[in-house]
């Protein structure tokens, strides 16, 4: 039996603009995980069982575009193990799907690492991330690559599309509260809509992306210089720009407002938007109160995460 797991992730700054070359900051969320277990079985072929998405099928019966099947096939091709047979791959995850917490990337990374372990082969982090990126394209259309990167390395990252990974050095730990609207939302659709709007109105969107990029760079410096509590207002600004971009939602705005009222230093939506999760920067002693206020305002789940 071989096992591997991968954490969720949350984007602190820069979603959407990152697809167009601006930087983004993201951190792992270890309170939620994807877990994959590979067992030998007596029947031939490869069986994939993913109870979260009601999947229990033979790999051969799944389409080339099926994200889990594609992950398995691409990994086996890279590991030169196309003839693998007589195994069952069990995929479990506590990361809510379509919520901006990187569930797709985490499942991919856990499958890739579990298969490598099972076959007693080594893959570098770069290879794992690249394989997961191939699947991200199936989930998201034109992903920046931030999700597979932060989930693979499980470290805070300063990410620029197409550039080598830069670990974000968190000089002083800080606390964020993550609040889930409970509304599943497709990143593929929100990324596509931004693309359409940008096509119609390139100048407006380039200005929005550049403003987000500048906020992200400043926030990155504050984090690396040990002044995390001062980036709260930048979160508020980033949220306003994402609203202008049309990717927030009344539910996200409501939770962002509730967090601010409860004493958060700043708050914003996180990820693709239109639903999914928001985040708030809090003083550690306020985390519980902000989480409670988010629940009262309709959040279906909250996570308190200390970023180190
Ligand atoms: C998704 O987690 C973040 C987006 O910026 C899309 C991407 O970067 O691929 C919305």
């Amino acid at each position: 039996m071989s096992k591997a797991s991968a954490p969720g992730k949350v984007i602190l700054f820069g979603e959407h603009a990152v697809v167009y070359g601006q930087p983004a900051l993201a951190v792992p969320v270890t309170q939620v995980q994807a877990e994959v277990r590979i067992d030998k079985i007596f029947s031939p072929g490869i069986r994939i069982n993913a109870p979260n998405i009601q999947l229990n099928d033979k790999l051969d019966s799944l389409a080339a575009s099926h994200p889990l099947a594609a992950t398995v096939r691409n990994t086996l091709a890279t590991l030169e193990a196309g003839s693998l047979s007589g195994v069952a791959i069990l995929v479990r995850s506590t990361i809510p799907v379509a919520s901006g917490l990187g569930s797709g990337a985490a499942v991919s990374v856990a499958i890739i690492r579990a298969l490598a372990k099972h076959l007693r082969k080594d893959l570098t982090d770069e290879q794992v991330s690249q394989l997961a990126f191939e699947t991200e394209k199936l989930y998201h259309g034109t992903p920046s690559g931030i999700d597979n990167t932060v989930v693979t390395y499980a470290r805070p990252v300063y990410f620029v599309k197409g550039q080598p990974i830069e670990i974000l050095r968190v000089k002083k730990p800080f606390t964020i509260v993550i609040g889930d609207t409970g509304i599943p939302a497709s990143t593929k659709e929100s990324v596509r809509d931004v693309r359409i709007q940008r096509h119609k109105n390139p100048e407006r969107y380039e200005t929005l992306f550049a403003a987000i990029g500048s906020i992200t760079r400043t926030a990155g410096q504050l984090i690396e210089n040990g002044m995390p509590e001062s980036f709260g207002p930048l979160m508020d600004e980033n949220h306003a720009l994402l609203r202008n971009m049309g990717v927030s939602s009344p539910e996200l705005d409501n939770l962002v407002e509730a967090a601010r009222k409860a004493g958060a230093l700043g708050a914003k939506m996180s990820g693709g938007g239109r639903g999914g999760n928001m985040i708030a920067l809090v003083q550690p002693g306020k985390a519980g109160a902000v989480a409670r206020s988010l629940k009262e305002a309709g959040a279906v789940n909250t996570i308190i995460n200390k970023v180190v």
Side-chain angles (χ1 to χ4, degrees), residues 16 19-20 140 142 186-195:
H16 287 290
V19 175
Y20 299 91
H140 293 166
T142 54
S186 151
T187 299
K188 190 174 192 162
E189 278 172 28
S190 67
V191 169
R192 189 199 55 209
D193 290 353
V194 170
R195 189 170 293 283

Side-chain angles (χ1 to χ4, degrees), residues 15-267:
E15 49 275 273
H16 287 290
V18 68
V19 175
Y20 299 91
Q22 298 291 342
L25 308 181
V27 298
V29 178
T30 49
Q31 290 92 336
V32 285
Q33 298 266 339
E35 283 177 359
V36 170
R37 184 181 136 156
I38 301 184
D39 288 295
K40 288 192 178 147
I41 52 172
F42 288 110
S43 51
I46 297 175
R47 177 161 280 279
I48 306 182
N49 180 10
N52 291 53
I53 53 166
Q54 286 88 43
L55 174 78
N56 189 356
D57 271 313
K58 284 234 165 173
L59 176 65
D60 286 348
S61 67
L62 298 172
S65 59
H66 191 291
L68 300 195
T71 308
V72 174
R73 290 190 184 111
N74 290 340
T75 307
L76 293 181
T78 300
L79 297 171
E80 296 171 346
S83 59
L84 181 69
S85 179
V87 298
I89 303 176
L90 173 64
V91 181
R92 281 183 295 209
S93 173
T94 55
I95 311 172
V97 178
S99 74
L101 293 186
S103 94
V107 163
S108 299
V109 167
I111 290 177
I112 296 160
R113 289 209 168 118
L115 279 171
K117 225 184 224 179
H118 180 80
L119 293 159
R120 295 195 169 78
K121 297 210 176 175
D122 285 329
L123 286 174
T124 63
D125 286 343
E126 181 52 38
Q127 283 176 304
V128 172
S129 186
Q130 189 55 44
L131 278 165
F133 182 61
E134 291 307 312
T135 306
E136 286 295 287
K137 291 185 204 162
L138 297 174
Y139 281 119
H140 293 166
T142 54
S144 63
I146 191 168
D147 286 20
N148 48 286
T149 302
V150 66
V151 164
T152 299
Y153 290 86
R155 301 275 304 276
V157 296
Y158 178 93
F159 178 85
V160 180
K161 184 178 168 180
Q163 290 192 12
I165 174 182
E166 254 184 75
I167 302 294
L168 180 69
R169 291 178 311 275
V170 179
K171 195 164 175 194
K172 184 174 164 204
F174 56 92
T175 304
I176 55 172
V177 181
I178 304 169
D180 191 348
T181 60
I183 297 169
S186 151
T187 299
K188 190 174 192 162
E189 278 172 28
S190 67
V191 169
R192 189 199 55 209
D193 290 353
V194 170
R195 189 170 293 283
I196 293 170
Q197 292 307 322
R198 174 182 174 260
H199 190 70
K200 285 189 192 154
N201 208 335
E203 268 171 37
R204 175 160 179 263
Y205 271 73
E206 285 308 327
T207 308
L208 287 167
F209 297 150
I212 291 176
S214 142
I215 287 174
T216 304
R217 276 185 283 273
T218 309
Q221 283 160 7
L222 291 170
I223 292 171
E224 296 213 320
N225 291 335
M227 298 160 71
E229 56 288 327
S230 17
F231 74 66
L234 295 175
M235 285 178 128
D236 297 340
E237 278 179 47
N238 195 162
H239 183 71
L241 291 163
L242 289 162
R243 276 189 70 171
N244 279 341
M245 212 183 267
V247 291
S248 191
S249 71
E251 295 83 1
L252 282 165
D253 292 344
N254 172 46
L255 293 187
V256 162
E257 201 45 48
R260 289 178 189 152
K261 277 200 186 124
L265 301 168

